[in-house]
Amino acid sequence: MKERYFTDERKPKKRIIEQVSIDCVIFGFYDNQLKVLLLKFKGLDAWALPGGFVFHNESIEEAANRILEDRTGIRNIYLEQFYVFGDKNRQFREVHEEVMYKNSIHPQDNHWLFQRFISIGFYALVDFSKVTPELDDISEICGWYDIEDMPLLSFDHPQIFQKALETLRSSLDTKLVGFNLLPEMFTIGELQSLYETILGKKLIRTNFQRKILSLEILERIEKKYSGGSHKAPYLYRMDVAKCEVFLKTHF
Amino acid sequence: MKERYFTDERKPKKRIIEQVSIDCVIFGFYDNQLKVLLLKFKGLDAWALPGGFVFHNESIEEAANRILEDRTGIRNIYLEQFYVFGDKNRQFREVHEEVMYKNSIHPQDNHWLFQRFISIGFYALVDFSKVTPELDDISEICGWYDIEDMPLLSFDHPQIFQKALETLRSSLDTKLVGFNLLPEMFTIGELQSLYETILGKKLIRTNFQRKILSLEILERIEKKYSGGSHKAPYLYRMDVAKCEVFLKTHF
DNA sequence: TTGGTATTGTACCAATTTGATACAATAGTC
DNA sequence: GACTATTGTATCAAATTGGTACAATACCAA
C-alpha cells in the first residue's frame, strides 16, 4: 500500500520520524555495465534516488525495504546502510516546491518537508534479470542508468551516489557482495566482468579464476552454459554457508 | 557551555532534531591495553557511552564533537561515524526515568526522551596522554576502562560498543587509523603493541617492522627514545601527506 | 671496566602468493 | 573437417610473507 507524503500539511499524514529520511542507491548489472535505478519526477527535469521516511513502528532497515518497494516495486533484496548525510543546511525547499506544484499541492510556508533532514544512505544490490521497476505516482520514469552515463541528480544525491559506489567497491573483496548482482548461476567470466566494471580496471583472466576458485565458496554445477561459438564454460553457484565461513575466518 | 537536557518538559529546551541521538565510543591506548571512555550516572549503577542530540544549526559531525566536549571535556580528536542503530523498539524509558529521578526531575508521561530514538554511532580515537576527562553534571564517573574488563553498559550500548570495535579492527589496515591512538612520536614496538591488542593476536616483530616501514608513511626522527636497559629504538612520526597518498593509491 | 640481559634493526632463506605466459580442450561456424 | 573464440589448467618468474639468525646497543650488576 503506497502512502501519500506530499500533502500540503504542516505534519505528515502518517506518523513518521521527523527530519529523518532514507535514500537508496540500487545497483544492477547488465550488459557488462553497472547500472543504478533512478526516478524522474513527473513533469520536471529532476532526477533522484528513491527515498522516503521512517514510520514509528518500523526499524530503519524495514523502512528502507518498504521504501524500495513503494517507489520501485522491488522487494526482498540485499540492502545495507552505508553512511549518514547530516549537513547543517541539508534542506531542499526549492526542489520540493517544484515537485509539489507539479502534483497540484500548494504547501504552507512551514511545510514539514522544508525542514532540514538527516538522511541515512542504503545501498541495494539486485539481480537485474529478476527486477521489473514499477512507477509510483509522483514519478514518470523509474529506470536503469549506466553509472558512466546518468542524468545529473537533484538534492545532494550525487554525493550519496558517489559514497555508495565507493562503499560497494571496498566491500567487493571484504564482504563478497558482488554475487548479489548476478543471477543464481553464473560463469567465472561473468563474475570477472562484474568485478572489472565495479573496480574500473581490467583483471588478468587466469589469475582471477585461480583467485576466486581458491576462496572455495563456489559450487560447480555440472550442467554447462551454451550459446557462444567456443568452449562452454562451467556454471557456478555461490555457497552461502561456505561464504560465511570464509568471511568469518578471514576478516 | 553545557546544556541541560533532563528537564521535565514534553519538548527539549533547545531546538534539537527529535528522535535522533548520537553515541560516541572513545578509544584510547595505555599500558598496552585498549581503553574505552565510559560515564557512570550519578547515584545509579548504570554505565553508558557519552551521547547527546543534534541541534538544528549544526551538522551531525559538529554535534558529535560538541557532545564529546560537553560530556567528557575532550575536543579536537579523530571522530568518524560508523553505524546507525535504528531498531523499532529502541527506547529506554526505564533507564531515563531512573536517571531523572536521581536528578530530581519528575518527567511527564510523554517526556520527549521516552520516544523511540535512532542513534548515530561515532567512534573516536584519542592520544591517551593528552586527555583529561572532565565530569558533566549528571555523571559521577568519567573514566577509562580496559575493553577486556569493563562494566556492563545500559541501553543498547553493548551492541554499539561491539560494532565500533569491529569497525576499528577493520579500519586499521584500510584507513591506517591506529596512529590516532598514539602520541605524535612513537616507536615501532609501541605501534606493534597497539596493533596486537586491537587485532587480538600476536604479530611477528620483524615482519611487522618490515611491513610498516615498507608503507613509507613514517618519518624517522633522529633523536632516540631512552629508558629501557637495552638498545634504544628509533622514534617515528607519521607523515600525514604520505599517508594520504598511500591510502589513495592503495584503496 | 666488563660481562650479562633484553631489545632493536637488519639480513637472510624458505614458503606462499601473485603476475604473466603457454597450451590443450571444445562448442559453434563455415 | 578446418577455423575461431574462449575456457580450464599448467607453468615459471617475480613479489610478498613467515620465520630464523645475528650483530648492535643501552643499561645493569658485579
Side-chain angles (χ1 to χ4, degrees), chain B residues 3 5 7-8 12 21 23 31 37 42-43 45 65 86 91 96 99 139 149 160 162 174 182 189 204 211 225 233 235:
Chain B
E3 293 285 337
Y5 301 105
T7 62
D8 58 356
S21 62
D23 286 301
D31 196 20
L37 195 65
K42 258 187 202 161
D45 185 28
N65 274 294
Q91 49 200 19
H96 286 309
V99 173
S139 309
D149 180 26
I160 296 181
Q162 200 54 42
T174 58
L182 292 176
I204 292 169
K211 184 75 180 170
Y225 171 84
L235 281 173

Side-chain angles (χ1 to χ4, degrees), chain B residues 2 5 25 37 46 63 94 103 108 143 207-208 212 244 248:
Chain B
K2 300 192 179 186
Y5 301 105
V25 182
L37 195 65
E94 295 75 14
N103 284 272
Q108 299 177 11
N207 296 341
F208 181 80
I212 289 291
E244 276 171 22
K248 268 192 192 143

Side-chain angles (χ1 to χ4, degrees), chain A residues 101-133:
Chain A
Y101 288 147
K102 283 287 174 187
N103 284 272
S104 310
I105 288 167
H106 301 282
Q108 299 177 11
D109 202 52
N110 60 351
H111 189 280
W112 61 278
L113 252 183
F114 298 162
Q115 291 177 292
R116 169 251 179 114
F117 270 81
I118 291 176
S119 191
I120 307 170
F122 280 76
Y123 75 95
L125 305 179
V126 307
D127 172 0
F128 189 93
S129 64
K130 285 221 177 127
V131 161
T132 36

Side-chain angles (χ1 to χ4, degrees), chain A residues 23 43 55 66 81 86 111 118 194 199 211 246 251:
Chain A
D23 286 301
F55 295 153
R66 174 187 49 77
Q81 54 161 284
H111 189 280
I118 291 176
L194 171 67
L199 297 175
K211 185 76 179 171
F246 173 82
F251 295 105

Side-chain angles (χ1 to χ4, degrees), chain A residues 205-206 209-210 220 230-231 233-234:
Chain A
R205 182 183 63 88
T206 55
Q209 184 135 353
R210 179 178 59 190
R220 181 183 276 185
H230 49 74
K231 182 176 179 179
Y234 285 98

